[in-house]
Amino acid sequence: MGKVAVAFAAAAVVAACSVAAVMVRRRVKSRRKWRTVVEILKELEEGCDTPVGRLRQVVDAMAVEMHAGLASEGGSKLKMLLTFVHELPKGTEKGTYYALHLGGTYFRILRVHLGGERSYLDVQDVERHPIPSHLMNSTSEVLFNFLAFSLERFIEKEGNGSNSQGVKRELAFTFSFPVKHSSISSGVLIKWTKGFEISEMVGKDIAECLQVALNRRGLDMHVAVLVNDTVGVLSLGYYHDPDTVVAVVFGTGSNACYLERTDAIIKSQGLLTTSGSMVVNMEWGNFWSSHLPRTSYDIDLDAESSNPNDMGFEKMISGMYLGDIVRRVILRMSQESDIFGPSSSLLSEPYALRTNSVSAMHEDDTPELQEVARILKDLGVSEVPLKVRKLVVKVCDVVTRRAGRLAAAGIAGILKKIGRDGSGGITSGRSRSEIQMQKRTVVAVEGGLYMNYTMFREYMEEALVEILGEEVSQYVVVKAMEDGSSIGSALLVASLQS
Ligand code: ADP
Ligand code: MG
C-alpha cells in the first residue's frame, strides 16, 4: 500500500471514530435527558401520592373543619354557609318554573313543567352557552344586563303556550359562587372564584341585582330563590330519591352541600329554631389541610392565580385547574430536556391546556396516541416520539388520580360528619341509635368534570370504596344528576309555592 493510501485509510478511521464518538455522546446526552424527565415524573408521582392512610387523614380533617365552620363564624376555612333551604322538593309539585344558572364556564336557562308526580318532570328548552369571557371582569350592570337579555330572548321563543297569561314567571337563580344568605331569596356575594373579578359586586345582593335588571327590561319574572348550584343538585337528587342527603359538583370549580340538623349549626342557634334541618353550603373548594399532597406545581399555580391563598382544595380537584397542573409539569419537562423539541411559547401560557384536552389525552385509545399528538401540536409541540406521548398520558393520569381520590376523601369526610361512614362519625349531638344504624345514603353528583371525564369518575368511586370499605360502601350510592344544578333549583321554587 502506498503512503497516500495509508494516510487516506488512517483519515477514514479517524473520521469514523469521531462520528461514532459524536453518536455515542449524543446517545448518552439523550439518555441523560430522558432520565431527567423520568425523574420529574417520579417526583410528581411521589408528590401526588394518596395512599388510603393519607386519604383517611383528609377525611378526618374535612369532618373536623366542618364542625369548626358550624361552631363559629370564621371558625374554619370552610364557610359552612346557611342556605335557608329547610325542605327539599317531594315530587308532588305542580306548575311551570324557570331556572337561570351562572356557573364558572357556562350559563344555562331552562323551563320545567311539573305534573304533580315524580314521573311528570318535563324539562323543556334547555339552553347552555359559554359565558362570554369579557363579562368575567366587567361590571355588575353589564353582567346582569346580559343575563336579563338572555332570559328575555328565551321567553320570546316560548310563544304564548307555556305560561298562563298574566301570571308572573317564577325564576330560580342558581349562582355558583359563595353567598351569605339572609333568606332563601336573598344574599350577598362574599367573594369571586374561578377567575371572575368584578370587585364592586362583592357585598351586593345577587338576587336583587338580577331582579333589578329584569325589571329594567320589563320582564314579568320574579326571582323566587337564590341557590348555590350544589343545592340545586341536592334538590333534584332528593326529588328522585329521598335518601339523598349530600350533593357535590365537579365542574369548573368544586363544592358540596348537605342536609344538616339545625341544632348542629351552633353558630346560628336561636336563628334557626323553626325547623329540624337546613341545607348547608360548605364551600368546600376552600378546604385546606396539611395532609393534602401539595406539589411545587400547585404552589406556583396558586401564586399566579387571580385568588392566591384561596380555594386550595378546588385548585387540586376541579376542571378549571387540572389542565394547568398538567401543563406546568410538561413545561418543566420541556425546559429541563429537549424531548419536546424547540421551546413552545404556547406551553408557557397559563390555562393553555384545558382539562377536556387532558381527558382526551388520558383516554386516547389509538395505538399511536394520535389524539395526544394532536393536542400537543395545538400547544406548539409537534413531532414528539411515542414514548414521550406515553409519558404525557402518565402525567395526566397522576394528576387526575390524585384529584379523584381527594374528591372521594372529601365526600367521605361529609359522610363521617353526619354519621354515615360506618365509623360512628364525630358524635357531638348525635344519638347512638342514629350512629349505629347504617342508613342508605345517596350522594348526588354533577358537573362537567364528573360527567365527562370517565377516569376521574372511576378514580373517585374506587377510592370511596377503599376508604369506606366494601360493607359500608354498599349503603352509599353515588348518583349522577345531569343539569341538576338548574333543574333542581326550579324544583325548589316549585316546592315553595305548593
Ligand atoms: P360550570 O362549571 O360552568 O357549571 P360544567 O359543570 O359543565 O360548567 O363544567 C365545565 C367544566 O368541566 C369545564 O370547564 C371543564 O373543566 C370540565 N369538563 C368539561 N368537559 C370535560 C371533559 N370532557 N373532560 C374533562 N373535563 C371536562
Ligand atoms: Mg356547574
PDB file of all heavy atoms in Angstrom, residues 97-102 108 110 151 169-175 210 221-227 485-494:
ATOM      1  N   TYR A  97     -91.932  26.363  35.921  1.00  0.00           N
ATOM      2  CA  TYR A  97     -90.930  27.191  36.610  1.00  0.00           C
ATOM      3  C   TYR A  97     -89.680  27.324  35.743  1.00  0.00           C
ATOM      4  O   TYR A  97     -89.429  26.491  34.866  1.00  0.00           O
ATOM      5  CB  TYR A  97     -90.573  26.567  37.970  1.00  0.00           C
ATOM      6  CG  TYR A  97     -91.790  26.417  38.840  1.00  0.00           C
ATOM      7  CD1 TYR A  97     -92.537  25.231  38.815  1.00  0.00           C
ATOM      8  CD2 TYR A  97     -92.245  27.474  39.620  1.00  0.00           C
ATOM      9  CE1 TYR A  97     -93.695  25.104  39.563  1.00  0.00           C
ATOM     10  CE2 TYR A  97     -93.398  27.360  40.377  1.00  0.00           C
ATOM     11  CZ  TYR A  97     -94.126  26.174  40.338  1.00  0.00           C
ATOM     12  OH  TYR A  97     -95.273  26.062  41.067  1.00  0.00           O
ATOM     13  N   TYR A  98     -88.914  28.367  36.056  1.00  0.00           N
ATOM     14  CA  TYR A  98     -87.732  28.690  35.244  1.00  0.00           C
ATOM     15  C   TYR A  98     -86.477  28.660  36.111  1.00  0.00           C
ATOM     16  O   TYR A  98     -86.546  28.897  37.316  1.00  0.00           O
ATOM     17  CB  TYR A  98     -87.887  30.097  34.644  1.00  0.00           C
ATOM     18  CG  TYR A  98     -89.059  30.189  33.707  1.00  0.00           C
ATOM     19  CD1 TYR A  98     -90.360  30.306  34.213  1.00  0.00           C
ATOM     20  CD2 TYR A  98     -88.876  30.123  32.328  1.00  0.00           C
ATOM     21  CE1 TYR A  98     -91.437  30.365  33.362  1.00  0.00           C
ATOM     22  CE2 TYR A  98     -89.961  30.186  31.469  1.00  0.00           C
ATOM     23  CZ  TYR A  98     -91.240  30.299  31.991  1.00  0.00           C
ATOM     24  OH  TYR A  98     -92.315  30.349  31.139  1.00  0.00           O
ATOM     25  N   ALA A  99     -85.359  28.402  35.453  1.00  0.00           N
ATOM     26  CA  ALA A  99     -84.082  28.488  36.171  1.00  0.00           C
ATOM     27  C   ALA A  99     -83.047  29.160  35.285  1.00  0.00           C
ATOM     28  O   ALA A  99     -82.999  28.924  34.070  1.00  0.00           O
ATOM     29  CB  ALA A  99     -83.600  27.094  36.568  1.00  0.00           C
ATOM     30  N   LEU A 100     -82.257  30.009  35.929  1.00  0.00           N
ATOM     31  CA  LEU A 100     -81.097  30.617  35.276  1.00  0.00           C
ATOM     32  C   LEU A 100     -79.898  30.219  36.128  1.00  0.00           C
ATOM     33  O   LEU A 100     -79.922  30.382  37.351  1.00  0.00           O
ATOM     34  CB  LEU A 100     -81.240  32.140  35.274  1.00  0.00           C
ATOM     35  CG  LEU A 100     -79.962  32.941  34.969  1.00  0.00           C
ATOM     36  CD1 LEU A 100     -79.548  32.755  33.513  1.00  0.00           C
ATOM     37  CD2 LEU A 100     -80.178  34.423  35.263  1.00  0.00           C
ATOM     38  N   HIS A 101     -78.881  29.670  35.488  1.00  0.00           N
ATOM     39  CA  HIS A 101     -77.713  29.219  36.254  1.00  0.00           C
ATOM     40  C   HIS A 101     -76.449  29.879  35.717  1.00  0.00           C
ATOM     41  O   HIS A 101     -76.107  29.711  34.549  1.00  0.00           O
ATOM     42  CB  HIS A 101     -77.612  27.682  36.152  1.00  0.00           C
ATOM     43  CG  HIS A 101     -76.370  27.130  36.759  1.00  0.00           C
ATOM     44  ND1 HIS A 101     -75.917  25.862  36.507  1.00  0.00           N
ATOM     45  CD2 HIS A 101     -75.473  27.671  37.611  1.00  0.00           C
ATOM     46  CE1 HIS A 101     -74.795  25.644  37.181  1.00  0.00           C
ATOM     47  NE2 HIS A 101     -74.505  26.741  37.850  1.00  0.00           N
ATOM     48  N   LEU A 102     -75.780  30.616  36.590  1.00  0.00           N
ATOM     49  CA  LEU A 102     -74.472  31.161  36.232  1.00  0.00           C
ATOM     50  C   LEU A 102     -73.406  30.265  36.853  1.00  0.00           C
ATOM     51  O   LEU A 102     -73.243  30.248  38.077  1.00  0.00           O
ATOM     52  CB  LEU A 102     -74.335  32.605  36.746  1.00  0.00           C
ATOM     53  CG  LEU A 102     -73.056  33.326  36.315  1.00  0.00           C
ATOM     54  CD1 LEU A 102     -73.067  33.654  34.830  1.00  0.00           C
ATOM     55  CD2 LEU A 102     -72.854  34.605  37.113  1.00  0.00           C
ATOM     56  N   ARG A 108     -76.844  28.699  31.916  1.00  0.00           N
ATOM     57  CA  ARG A 108     -77.910  27.860  31.388  1.00  0.00           C
ATOM     58  C   ARG A 108     -79.254  28.466  31.740  1.00  0.00           C
ATOM     59  O   ARG A 108     -79.412  29.061  32.810  1.00  0.00           O
ATOM     60  CB  ARG A 108     -77.857  26.453  31.990  1.00  0.00           C
ATOM     61  CG  ARG A 108     -76.581  25.710  31.756  1.00  0.00           C
ATOM     62  CD  ARG A 108     -76.498  24.530  32.708  1.00  0.00           C
ATOM     63  NE  ARG A 108     -75.236  23.829  32.611  1.00  0.00           N
ATOM     64  CZ  ARG A 108     -74.094  24.257  33.115  1.00  0.00           C
ATOM     65  NH1 ARG A 108     -74.030  25.407  33.756  1.00  0.00           N
ATOM     66  NH2 ARG A 108     -72.995  23.538  32.991  1.00  0.00           N
ATOM     67  N   LEU A 110     -83.426  27.239  31.607  1.00  0.00           N
ATOM     68  CA  LEU A 110     -84.369  26.191  31.246  1.00  0.00           C
ATOM     69  C   LEU A 110     -85.719  26.411  31.912  1.00  0.00           C
ATOM     70  O   LEU A 110     -85.866  27.265  32.792  1.00  0.00           O
ATOM     71  CB  LEU A 110     -83.815  24.802  31.575  1.00  0.00           C
ATOM     72  CG  LEU A 110     -83.369  24.480  32.990  1.00  0.00           C
ATOM     73  CD1 LEU A 110     -84.548  24.250  33.914  1.00  0.00           C
ATOM     74  CD2 LEU A 110     -82.508  23.225  32.965  1.00  0.00           C
ATOM     75  N   LEU A 151     -82.423  35.954  29.189  1.00  0.00           N
ATOM     76  CA  LEU A 151     -83.723  35.442  29.642  1.00  0.00           C
ATOM     77  C   LEU A 151     -84.842  35.967  28.744  1.00  0.00           C
ATOM     78  O   LEU A 151     -85.782  35.244  28.402  1.00  0.00           O
ATOM     79  CB  LEU A 151     -83.995  35.894  31.081  1.00  0.00           C
ATOM     80  CG  LEU A 151     -83.445  34.980  32.176  1.00  0.00           C
ATOM     81  CD1 LEU A 151     -83.521  35.669  33.521  1.00  0.00           C
ATOM     82  CD2 LEU A 151     -84.209  33.655  32.219  1.00  0.00           C
ATOM     83  N   ARG A 169     -93.790  34.874  35.950  1.00  0.00           N
ATOM     84  CA  ARG A 169     -92.979  33.661  35.866  1.00  0.00           C
ATOM     85  C   ARG A 169     -92.059  33.590  37.094  1.00  0.00           C
ATOM     86  O   ARG A 169     -91.375  34.556  37.408  1.00  0.00           O
ATOM     87  CB  ARG A 169     -92.130  33.687  34.606  1.00  0.00           C
ATOM     88  CG  ARG A 169     -92.927  33.533  33.325  1.00  0.00           C
ATOM     89  CD  ARG A 169     -92.005  33.781  32.145  1.00  0.00           C
ATOM     90  NE  ARG A 169     -92.650  33.476  30.878  1.00  0.00           N
ATOM     91  CZ  ARG A 169     -93.373  34.345  30.197  1.00  0.00           C
ATOM     92  NH1 ARG A 169     -93.570  35.572  30.657  1.00  0.00           N
ATOM     93  NH2 ARG A 169     -93.908  33.998  29.040  1.00  0.00           N
ATOM     94  N   GLU A 170     -92.046  32.427  37.725  1.00  0.00           N
ATOM     95  CA  GLU A 170     -91.226  32.246  38.924  1.00  0.00           C
ATOM     96  C   GLU A 170     -89.871  31.669  38.507  1.00  0.00           C
ATOM     97  O   GLU A 170     -89.806  30.634  37.834  1.00  0.00           O
ATOM     98  CB  GLU A 170     -91.922  31.305  39.906  1.00  0.00           C
ATOM     99  CG  GLU A 170     -93.225  31.852  40.468  1.00  0.00           C
ATOM    100  CD  GLU A 170     -93.026  33.071  41.374  1.00  0.00           C
ATOM    101  OE1 GLU A 170     -91.989  33.122  42.070  1.00  0.00           O
ATOM    102  OE2 GLU A 170     -93.897  33.969  41.365  1.00  0.00           O
ATOM    103  N   LEU A 171     -88.825  32.347  38.928  1.00  0.00           N
ATOM    104  CA  LEU A 171     -87.477  32.008  38.472  1.00  0.00           C
ATOM    105  C   LEU A 171     -86.561  31.625  39.635  1.00  0.00           C
ATOM    106  O   LEU A 171     -86.561  32.270  40.682  1.00  0.00           O
ATOM    107  CB  LEU A 171     -86.891  33.236  37.758  1.00  0.00           C
ATOM    108  CG  LEU A 171     -85.421  33.179  37.308  1.00  0.00           C
ATOM    109  CD1 LEU A 171     -85.242  32.228  36.125  1.00  0.00           C
ATOM    110  CD2 LEU A 171     -84.916  34.574  36.924  1.00  0.00           C
ATOM    111  N   ALA A 172     -85.787  30.577  39.411  1.00  0.00           N
ATOM    112  CA  ALA A 172     -84.721  30.230  40.361  1.00  0.00           C
ATOM    113  C   ALA A 172     -83.418  30.767  39.793  1.00  0.00           C
ATOM    114  O   ALA A 172     -83.139  30.574  38.612  1.00  0.00           O
ATOM    115  CB  ALA A 172     -84.621  28.714  40.495  1.00  0.00           C
ATOM    116  N   PHE A 173     -82.620  31.403  40.624  1.00  0.00           N
ATOM    117  CA  PHE A 173     -81.311  31.856  40.179  1.00  0.00           C
ATOM    118  C   PHE A 173     -80.253  30.988  40.856  1.00  0.00           C
ATOM    119  O   PHE A 173     -80.041  31.060  42.067  1.00  0.00           O
ATOM    120  CB  PHE A 173     -81.128  33.338  40.530  1.00  0.00           C
ATOM    121  CG  PHE A 173     -79.862  33.949  39.970  1.00  0.00           C
ATOM    122  CD1 PHE A 173     -79.154  33.338  38.935  1.00  0.00           C
ATOM    123  CD2 PHE A 173     -79.379  35.152  40.467  1.00  0.00           C
ATOM    124  CE1 PHE A 173     -77.992  33.907  38.414  1.00  0.00           C
ATOM    125  CE2 PHE A 173     -78.213  35.729  39.960  1.00  0.00           C
ATOM    126  CZ  PHE A 173     -77.521  35.102  38.936  1.00  0.00           C
ATOM    127  N   THR A 174     -79.634  30.138  40.062  1.00  0.00           N
ATOM    128  CA  THR A 174     -78.553  29.293  40.571  1.00  0.00           C
ATOM    129  C   THR A 174     -77.250  30.039  40.350  1.00  0.00           C
ATOM    130  O   THR A 174     -76.908  30.372  39.215  1.00  0.00           O
ATOM    131  CB  THR A 174     -78.498  27.952  39.810  1.00  0.00           C
ATOM    132  OG1 THR A 174     -79.804  27.414  39.733  1.00  0.00           O
ATOM    133  CG2 THR A 174     -77.567  26.977  40.494  1.00  0.00           C
ATOM    134  N   PHE A 175     -76.563  30.290  41.435  1.00  0.00           N
ATOM    135  CA  PHE A 175     -75.377  31.135  41.372  1.00  0.00           C
ATOM    136  C   PHE A 175     -74.225  30.373  42.028  1.00  0.00           C
ATOM    137  O   PHE A 175     -74.261  30.110  43.231  1.00  0.00           O
ATOM    138  CB  PHE A 175     -75.702  32.440  42.126  1.00  0.00           C
ATOM    139  CG  PHE A 175     -74.643  33.489  42.048  1.00  0.00           C
ATOM    140  CD1 PHE A 175     -74.406  34.180  40.865  1.00  0.00           C
ATOM    141  CD2 PHE A 175     -73.887  33.810  43.165  1.00  0.00           C
ATOM    142  CE1 PHE A 175     -73.443  35.172  40.802  1.00  0.00           C
ATOM    143  CE2 PHE A 175     -72.911  34.793  43.106  1.00  0.00           C
ATOM    144  CZ  PHE A 175     -72.687  35.480  41.926  1.00  0.00           C
ATOM    145  N   LEU A 210     -80.217  40.818  39.953  1.00  0.00           N
ATOM    146  CA  LEU A 210     -80.901  40.200  38.816  1.00  0.00           C
ATOM    147  C   LEU A 210     -82.313  40.750  38.667  1.00  0.00           C
ATOM    148  O   LEU A 210     -82.757  41.077  37.559  1.00  0.00           O
ATOM    149  CB  LEU A 210     -80.938  38.673  38.981  1.00  0.00           C
ATOM    150  CG  LEU A 210     -81.634  37.928  37.844  1.00  0.00           C
ATOM    151  CD1 LEU A 210     -80.923  38.147  36.500  1.00  0.00           C
ATOM    152  CD2 LEU A 210     -81.724  36.423  38.126  1.00  0.00           C
ATOM    153  N   MET A 221     -90.892  38.579  35.453  1.00  0.00           N
ATOM    154  CA  MET A 221     -90.285  37.413  36.121  1.00  0.00           C
ATOM    155  C   MET A 221     -89.918  37.782  37.544  1.00  0.00           C
ATOM    156  O   MET A 221     -89.459  38.898  37.799  1.00  0.00           O
ATOM    157  CB  MET A 221     -88.990  37.008  35.414  1.00  0.00           C
ATOM    158  CG  MET A 221     -89.200  36.191  34.194  1.00  0.00           C
ATOM    159  SD  MET A 221     -87.643  35.443  33.703  1.00  0.00           S
ATOM    160  CE  MET A 221     -88.170  33.767  33.451  1.00  0.00           C
ATOM    161  N   HIS A 222     -90.074  36.802  38.440  1.00  0.00           N
ATOM    162  CA  HIS A 222     -89.797  37.045  39.844  1.00  0.00           C
ATOM    163  C   HIS A 222     -88.684  36.110  40.306  1.00  0.00           C
ATOM    164  O   HIS A 222     -88.802  34.886  40.146  1.00  0.00           O
ATOM    165  CB  HIS A 222     -91.096  36.806  40.644  1.00  0.00           C
ATOM    166  CG  HIS A 222     -90.874  36.775  42.114  1.00  0.00           C
ATOM    167  ND1 HIS A 222     -91.262  35.726  42.905  1.00  0.00           N
ATOM    168  CD2 HIS A 222     -90.283  37.667  42.939  1.00  0.00           C
ATOM    169  CE1 HIS A 222     -90.936  35.976  44.158  1.00  0.00           C
ATOM    170  NE2 HIS A 222     -90.341  37.141  44.213  1.00  0.00           N
ATOM    171  N   VAL A 223     -87.618  36.680  40.845  1.00  0.00           N
ATOM    172  CA  VAL A 223     -86.526  35.842  41.345  1.00  0.00           C
ATOM    173  C   VAL A 223     -86.972  35.263  42.690  1.00  0.00           C
ATOM    174  O   VAL A 223     -86.904  35.919  43.723  1.00  0.00           O
ATOM    175  CB  VAL A 223     -85.213  36.654  41.505  1.00  0.00           C
ATOM    176  CG1 VAL A 223     -84.079  35.732  41.941  1.00  0.00           C
ATOM    177  CG2 VAL A 223     -84.858  37.366  40.211  1.00  0.00           C
ATOM    178  N   ALA A 224     -87.462  34.034  42.647  1.00  0.00           N
ATOM    179  CA  ALA A 224     -88.087  33.449  43.848  1.00  0.00           C
ATOM    180  C   ALA A 224     -87.080  32.805  44.786  1.00  0.00           C
ATOM    181  O   ALA A 224     -87.283  32.798  46.000  1.00  0.00           O
ATOM    182  CB  ALA A 224     -89.126  32.418  43.420  1.00  0.00           C
ATOM    183  N   VAL A 225     -85.999  32.263  44.241  1.00  0.00           N
ATOM    184  CA  VAL A 225     -84.946  31.708  45.101  1.00  0.00           C
ATOM    185  C   VAL A 225     -83.573  32.010  44.523  1.00  0.00           C
ATOM    186  O   VAL A 225     -83.405  32.145  43.308  1.00  0.00           O
ATOM    187  CB  VAL A 225     -85.055  30.165  45.305  1.00  0.00           C
ATOM    188  CG1 VAL A 225     -86.360  29.759  45.952  1.00  0.00           C
ATOM    189  CG2 VAL A 225     -84.845  29.420  44.007  1.00  0.00           C
ATOM    190  N   LEU A 226     -82.639  32.141  45.428  1.00  0.00           N
ATOM    191  CA  LEU A 226     -81.229  32.278  45.054  1.00  0.00           C
ATOM    192  C   LEU A 226     -80.535  31.065  45.655  1.00  0.00           C
ATOM    193  O   LEU A 226     -80.553  30.885  46.880  1.00  0.00           O
ATOM    194  CB  LEU A 226     -80.664  33.567  45.654  1.00  0.00           C
ATOM    195  CG  LEU A 226     -79.163  33.811  45.492  1.00  0.00           C
ATOM    196  CD1 LEU A 226     -78.784  34.005  44.037  1.00  0.00           C
ATOM    197  CD2 LEU A 226     -78.727  35.033  46.309  1.00  0.00           C
ATOM    198  N   VAL A 227     -79.987  30.209  44.805  1.00  0.00           N
ATOM    199  CA  VAL A 227     -79.399  28.970  45.337  1.00  0.00           C
ATOM    200  C   VAL A 227     -78.015  28.704  44.774  1.00  0.00           C
ATOM    201  O   VAL A 227     -77.724  29.022  43.622  1.00  0.00           O
ATOM    202  CB  VAL A 227     -80.234  27.706  45.022  1.00  0.00           C
ATOM    203  CG1 VAL A 227     -81.234  27.410  46.091  1.00  0.00           C
ATOM    204  CG2 VAL A 227     -80.867  27.770  43.674  1.00  0.00           C
ATOM    205  N   SER A 485     -78.097  21.153  38.851  1.00  0.00           N
ATOM    206  CA  SER A 485     -77.966  22.483  39.446  1.00  0.00           C
ATOM    207  C   SER A 485     -79.044  23.429  38.942  1.00  0.00           C
ATOM    208  O   SER A 485     -79.521  24.283  39.691  1.00  0.00           O
ATOM    209  CB  SER A 485     -76.576  23.038  39.172  1.00  0.00           C
ATOM    210  OG  SER A 485     -76.210  22.810  37.839  1.00  0.00           O
ATOM    211  N   SER A 486     -79.449  23.293  37.691  1.00  0.00           N
ATOM    212  CA  SER A 486     -80.505  24.176  37.174  1.00  0.00           C
ATOM    213  C   SER A 486     -81.895  23.575  37.437  1.00  0.00           C
ATOM    214  O   SER A 486     -82.772  24.246  37.986  1.00  0.00           O
ATOM    215  CB  SER A 486     -80.352  24.401  35.672  1.00  0.00           C
ATOM    216  OG  SER A 486     -79.012  24.467  35.311  1.00  0.00           O
ATOM    217  N   ILE A 487     -82.075  22.316  37.066  1.00  0.00           N
ATOM    218  CA  ILE A 487     -83.405  21.702  37.207  1.00  0.00           C
ATOM    219  C   ILE A 487     -83.827  21.697  38.678  1.00  0.00           C
ATOM    220  O   ILE A 487     -84.936  22.089  39.034  1.00  0.00           O
ATOM    221  CB  ILE A 487     -83.406  20.243  36.671  1.00  0.00           C
ATOM    222  CG1 ILE A 487     -83.017  20.219  35.199  1.00  0.00           C
ATOM    223  CG2 ILE A 487     -84.782  19.591  36.862  1.00  0.00           C
ATOM    224  CD1 ILE A 487     -82.709  18.824  34.666  1.00  0.00           C
ATOM    225  N   GLY A 488     -82.901  21.283  39.538  1.00  0.00           N
ATOM    226  CA  GLY A 488     -83.212  21.166  40.963  1.00  0.00           C
ATOM    227  C   GLY A 488     -83.617  22.505  41.567  1.00  0.00           C
ATOM    228  O   GLY A 488     -84.499  22.561  42.444  1.00  0.00           O
ATOM    229  N   SER A 489     -82.991  23.593  41.122  1.00  0.00           N
ATOM    230  CA  SER A 489     -83.342  24.907  41.665  1.00  0.00           C
ATOM    231  C   SER A 489     -84.762  25.285  41.272  1.00  0.00           C
ATOM    232  O   SER A 489     -85.505  25.872  42.068  1.00  0.00           O
ATOM    233  CB  SER A 489     -82.370  25.963  41.168  1.00  0.00           C
ATOM    234  OG  SER A 489     -81.070  25.550  41.433  1.00  0.00           O
ATOM    235  N   ALA A 490     -85.133  24.949  40.043  1.00  0.00           N
ATOM    236  CA  ALA A 490     -86.513  25.216  39.611  1.00  0.00           C
ATOM    237  C   ALA A 490     -87.483  24.396  40.465  1.00  0.00           C
ATOM    238  O   ALA A 490     -88.558  24.885  40.847  1.00  0.00           O
ATOM    239  CB  ALA A 490     -86.674  24.879  38.127  1.00  0.00           C
ATOM    240  N   LEU A 491     -87.104  23.174  40.798  1.00  0.00           N
ATOM    241  CA  LEU A 491     -87.958  22.332  41.656  1.00  0.00           C
ATOM    242  C   LEU A 491     -88.115  22.948  43.039  1.00  0.00           C
ATOM    243  O   LEU A 491     -89.178  22.864  43.660  1.00  0.00           O
ATOM    244  CB  LEU A 491     -87.363  20.927  41.801  1.00  0.00           C
ATOM    245  CG  LEU A 491     -87.207  20.111  40.520  1.00  0.00           C
ATOM    246  CD1 LEU A 491     -86.607  18.742  40.830  1.00  0.00           C
ATOM    247  CD2 LEU A 491     -88.550  19.926  39.831  1.00  0.00           C
ATOM    248  N   LEU A 492     -87.052  23.588  43.487  1.00  0.00           N
ATOM    249  CA  LEU A 492     -87.084  24.230  44.797  1.00  0.00           C
ATOM    250  C   LEU A 492     -88.102  25.382  44.806  1.00  0.00           C
ATOM    251  O   LEU A 492     -88.854  25.554  45.778  1.00  0.00           O
ATOM    252  CB  LEU A 492     -85.680  24.742  45.119  1.00  0.00           C
ATOM    253  CG  LEU A 492     -85.291  24.904  46.563  1.00  0.00           C
ATOM    254  CD1 LEU A 492     -85.523  23.628  47.355  1.00  0.00           C
ATOM    255  CD2 LEU A 492     -83.823  25.294  46.635  1.00  0.00           C
ATOM    256  N   VAL A 493     -88.123  26.143  43.737  1.00  0.00           N
ATOM    257  CA  VAL A 493     -89.127  27.216  43.630  1.00  0.00           C
ATOM    258  C   VAL A 493     -90.520  26.595  43.709  1.00  0.00           C
ATOM    259  O   VAL A 493     -91.393  27.054  44.445  1.00  0.00           O
ATOM    260  CB  VAL A 493     -89.014  27.981  42.283  1.00  0.00           C
ATOM    261  CG1 VAL A 493     -90.085  29.052  42.181  1.00  0.00           C
ATOM    262  CG2 VAL A 493     -87.645  28.589  42.131  1.00  0.00           C
ATOM    263  N   ALA A 494     -90.695  25.504  42.960  1.00  0.00           N
ATOM    264  CA  ALA A 494     -91.998  24.838  42.932  1.00  0.00           C
ATOM    265  C   ALA A 494     -92.402  24.390  44.334  1.00  0.00           C
ATOM    266  O   ALA A 494     -93.557  24.553  44.744  1.00  0.00           O
ATOM    267  CB  ALA A 494     -91.948  23.641  41.986  1.00  0.00           C
TER     268      ALA A 494
END
